[in-house]
């Protein structure tokens, strides 16, 4: 069993839909990252969370430390949001990566 | 520089050849990490450098893989006698301190072994 589990693995949405990607972890971490990987392989760091909620534009990330769960929400989804979204738990120099959620937003 | 720079962005090599991948971290970042992502797989930790300490090499998949970091800055990941299973995107990241904060990824090197 992976230390970090993401769901769903694949997600197809219509443009404008509200999207949620979930991440659960089973290890102790000091922070949780949400990463976005585009088809070319480049990765962008979206959020780093240690508690509560963060918002950036149409993206919202939340974390519940007690339940060891985080969610990434995308409001008013757009085709340019199509990418792989990766959840990563971090503690000291150890990172635990989920296998990613592949999102496709259809116009 | 403003971000973590990796070169080359794409590399195609013949099986059995050696390759060198370069990572130029954010200036002042003491921690540097190498990961790879094979087709259809998640990110896999390879090696971690922190300042002048001995690197954590626990993720290197075989002795064909090695990495060095010169002067606490630029890092080179070397793969000797490449195999087709080495084909992957190799990602570098740097951090301003050991651990989870100020962590920035490079854009990756896509390696294809033919």
């Amino acid at each position: 069993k992976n230390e970090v589990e993401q769901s769903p693995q694949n997600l197809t949405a219509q443009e404008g839909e509200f999207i949620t990607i979930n991440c659960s972890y089973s290890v102790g971490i000091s922070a949780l990252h949400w990463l976005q990987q585009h088809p070319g392989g480049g990765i962008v760091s979206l959020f780093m969370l240690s508690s509560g909620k963060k918002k950036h534009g149409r993206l919202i990330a939340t974390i519940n430390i007690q339940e060891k769960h985080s969610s990434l929400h995308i409001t008013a989804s757009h085709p340019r949001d199509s990418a792989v979204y990766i959840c990563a738990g971090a503690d000291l120099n150890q990172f635990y990566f989920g296998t990613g959620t592949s999102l496709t937003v259809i116009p | 520089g403003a971000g973590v720079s990796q070169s080359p962005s794409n590399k195609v090599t013949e099986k059995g050849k050696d390759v060198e991948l370069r990572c130029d971290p954010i200036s002042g970042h003491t921690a540097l990490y190498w990961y790879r992502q094979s087709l259809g797989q998640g990110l896999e930790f390879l090696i971690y450098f922190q300042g002048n300490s001995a690197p954590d090499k626990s993720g290197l998949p075989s002795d064909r893989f090695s990495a060095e970091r010169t002067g606490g800055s630029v890092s080179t990941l070397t793969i000797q006698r490449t195999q087709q299973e080495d084909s992957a995107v190799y990602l570098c990241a740097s951090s301003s301190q050991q651990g989870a904060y100020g962590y920035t990824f490079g854009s990756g090197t896509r390696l294809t072994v033919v």
Side-chain angles (χ1 to χ4, degrees):
Chain A
K1 189 181 187 304
N2 292 335
E3 292 90 352
V4 176
E5 298 277 358
Q6 281 185 243
S7 63
Q9 286 188 306
N10 293 282
L11 180 57
T12 300
Q14 292 289 331
E15 183 174 356
E17 285 186 4
F18 180 84
I19 289 163
T20 296
I21 301 171
N22 293 302
C23 174
S24 296
Y25 53 95
S26 58
V27 291
I29 61 173
S30 54
L32 186 131
H33 296 256
W34 281 101
L35 311 170
Q36 180 191 54
Q37 184 176 33
H38 285 277
I43 283 188
V44 174
S45 179
L46 298 175
F47 294 103
M48 187 196 71
L49 294 164
S50 54
S51 65
K53 175 181 176 179
K54 287 189 176 180
K55 183 176 189 294
H56 185 257
R58 295 180 294 105
L59 302 178
I60 302 167
T62 63
I63 188 168
N64 184 316
I65 301 295
Q66 287 73 31
E67 294 185 4
K68 294 189 173 181
H69 182 270
S70 176
S71 293
L72 176 68
H73 305 285
I74 305 175
T75 61
S77 58
H78 190 277
R80 65 175 174 267
D81 297 326
S82 298
V84 174
Y85 292 83
I86 302 168
C87 167
D91 186 40
L92 295 178
N93 65 320
Q94 177 71 54
F95 288 86
Y96 307 92
F97 292 95
T99 53
T101 295
S102 179
L103 171 65
T104 303
V105 181
I106 299 170
Chain B
V4 177
S5 177
Q6 288 188 247
S7 61
S9 55
N10 282 284
K11 175 72 176 178
V12 180
T13 191
E14 292 181 351
K15 178 181 173 181
K17 295 281 180 70
D18 297 352
V19 295
E20 285 189 351
L21 312 179
R22 176 188 167 108
C23 172
D24 201 341
I26 290 175
S27 178
H29 278 192
T30 57
L32 186 146
Y33 311 78
W34 282 99
Y35 300 92
R36 73 174 176 182
Q37 185 176 35
S38 304
L39 185 64
Q41 303 296 315
L43 281 165
E44 174 189 6
F45 167 75
L46 297 177
I47 189 168
Y48 160 68
F49 295 90
Q50 173 58 44
N52 295 319
S53 302
D56 177 357
K57 303 180 181 180
S58 59
L60 294 178
S62 79
D63 59 8
R64 296 186 295 104
F65 287 72
S66 63
E68 62 177 20
R69 190 178 183 194
T70 54
S73 181
V74 173
S75 177
T76 303
L77 177 69
T78 302
I79 309 172
Q80 296 178 307
R81 304 181 302 282
T82 52
Q83 303 294 313
Q84 287 185 328
E85 62 262 27
D86 300 334
S87 297
V89 174
Y90 288 82
L91 289 159
C92 175
S94 70
S95 173
S96 58
Q97 58 182 304
Q98 182 181 7
Y101 303 98
Y103 182 69
T104 305
F105 278 96
S107 56
T109 294
R110 181 175 292 280
L111 174 66
T112 304
V113 181
V114 298

